[in-house]
Amino acid sequence: MNKKNITVFALAALAILNVIIVIMIISNRVDSTYHSERETAELSAILDQGGISADVSVLPRQKPGYHVYSEKVSDDGFLSAMTGIFGEGSVDDGAFIQEKDGRTLKIGRDFAFEMSASGYSAPYGDMTTVKNETRSRLEKKVLSFLGLDRSVATPAAISYKTESAFEYGSGQTQITVREYVGGIMTENVITAVFSGDELEHANGRALLIRPTEDYTAKLCDCFDIMIKEKKYFSINGAARMTAEKIEYIYDTCFDVLGVVYLIPACSVQYTDGTVHIYDLVSGNLIQSN
């Protein structure tokens, strides 16, 4: 073999080696972020033997890589933040209270809130779906009222989406807005009632104070959670269950030191209405209804 042929062979071998390395890197990356079809089918079979029907299409194959977010909120900081958004108010038993322009507003330290205008009555009568432009306009108004339309950069990418909007025979429009973090659904929901463009009532929970701290953590995934579900129903002796939806969400929680956390969680919903939510950091069941 002459020198020219040796060079061509070496270059070809190097090219093949590079392709193999790239394939290995991609394969390892896929393995670290996704469960295989075989693993998903095996889990479905294991759950079926344990009394839980979970079709492979219901089981998320992607492994969660979400962050944990937090913010320390002191008593003074809470009052200052609420005053900055809504104007002067008072604090009673830890809650911010304001009566202004014929409206009564109360906000708890867990960011649960309720606002009602004087003389407000709940909507009634036949319901019709409102047009997209009306949905968008009213969503902006309620987000503006709650100070959620600010564009301050934070580690957590927080966004909002109207889930439903109906006009009632009473002439009122009710919209439901969901809060998202990095495109992942949270349990925080806002319900608002308008008469025309006038906000009459609002209640729910939202991140009125944005998190500033960002952490990474080793997380469980839905496969770990479903094995825990199998054990849960085995211990509690429930009838056969059918999983309807399994999804990753963010849960908002608070500690005794006044720190608010956004923690990745897994929500498991069954056809009988049972919902279990697990904290993916600890793997513990944090909500059952």
Side-chain angles (χ1 to χ4, degrees):
M1 183 180 293
N2 59 36
K3 185 176 181 180
K4 181 179 179 181
N5 289 338
I6 292 174
T7 301
V8 172
F9 177 78
L11 290 174
L14 182 60
I16 293 171
L17 179 60
N18 286 337
V19 171
I20 292 173
I21 291 173
V22 169
I23 291 173
M24 290 177 63
I25 291 173
I26 293 174
S27 178
N28 288 336
R29 184 175 299 171
V30 170
D31 289 343
S32 67
T33 55
Y34 289 90
H35 289 286
S36 67
E37 291 184 10
R38 179 181 59 80
E39 290 173 324
T40 307
E42 288 176 352
L43 175 62
S44 178
I46 290 170
L47 294 174
D48 187 68
Q49 294 172 3
I52 299 176
S53 297
D55 189 81
V56 291
S57 62
V58 176
L59 297 167
R61 289 178 55 191
Q62 185 171 359
K63 301 176 183 179
Y66 311 122
H67 288 207
V68 176
Y69 303 100
S70 71
E71 173 68 352
K72 179 72 163 60
V73 184
S74 65
D75 290 343
D76 290 343
F78 174 73
L79 177 59
S80 176
M82 297 304 99
T83 300
I85 298 170
F86 301 102
E88 292 297 324
S90 60
V91 173
D92 183 13
D93 196 22
F96 176 82
I97 299 175
Q98 180 192 72
E99 293 193 11
K100 181 180 178 182
D101 300 330
R103 294 170 169 173
T104 300
L105 171 66
K106 182 176 181 180
I107 304 172
R109 284 299 305 272
D110 61 353
F111 302 153
F113 66 87
E114 181 167 7
M115 185 283 291
S116 287
S118 177
Y120 165 75
S121 59
Y124 60 89
D126 295 336
M127 299 164 53
T128 56
T129 303
V130 303
K131 296 179 179 179
N132 288 338
E133 55 266 32
T134 301
R135 293 163 61 108
S136 178
R137 186 180 75 254
L138 297 184
E139 177 185 306
K140 289 178 181 177
K141 282 184 172 292
V142 70
L143 295 183
S144 178
F145 171 74
L146 294 170
L148 299 174
D149 57 346
R150 55 195 185 276
S151 58
V152 178
T154 61
I158 300 172
S159 59
Y160 300 88
K161 181 180 179 181
T162 297
E163 293 189 333
S164 64
F166 298 101
E167 184 174 353
Y168 287 76
S170 58
Q172 298 158 295
T173 302
Q174 178 173 291
I175 70 170
T176 302
V177 181
R178 173 80 64 172
E179 188 171 64
Y180 290 78
V181 174
I184 305 301
M185 184 180 76
T186 74
E187 290 291 274
N188 297 337
V189 177
I190 304 162
T191 300
V193 178
F194 289 85
S195 179
D197 279 353
E198 188 70 24
L199 180 61
E200 290 189 320
H201 179 81
N203 70 290
R205 189 171 74 170
L207 289 169
L208 301 176
I209 298 177
R210 304 296 178 90
T212 58
E213 301 297 326
D214 179 355
Y215 310 95
T216 57
K218 185 177 181 180
L219 303 177
C220 303
D221 63 26
C222 75
F223 279 47
D224 303 311
I225 298 308
M226 292 311 297
I227 293 300
K228 288 178 178 287
E229 283 288 86
K230 176 177 175 292
K231 293 179 181 178
Y232 176 92
F233 288 117
S234 175
I235 293 172
N236 290 278
R240 186 169 189 84
M241 305 292 289
T242 300
E244 183 176 39
K245 182 186 292 186
I246 304 170
E247 58 187 342
Y248 295 121
I249 64 172
Y250 266 102
D251 180 65
T252 307
C253 61
F254 302 79
D255 69 14
V256 294
L257 300 177
V259 180
V260 55
Y261 293 94
L262 277 172
I263 297 179
C266 182
S267 171
V268 186
Q269 302 174 38
Y270 295 92
T271 53
D272 69 346
T274 299
V275 178
H276 286 172
I277 298 178
Y278 286 81
D279 168 2
L280 291 183
V281 177
S282 66
N284 294 331
L285 178 64
I286 57 175
Q287 184 176 323
S288 176
N289 52 40

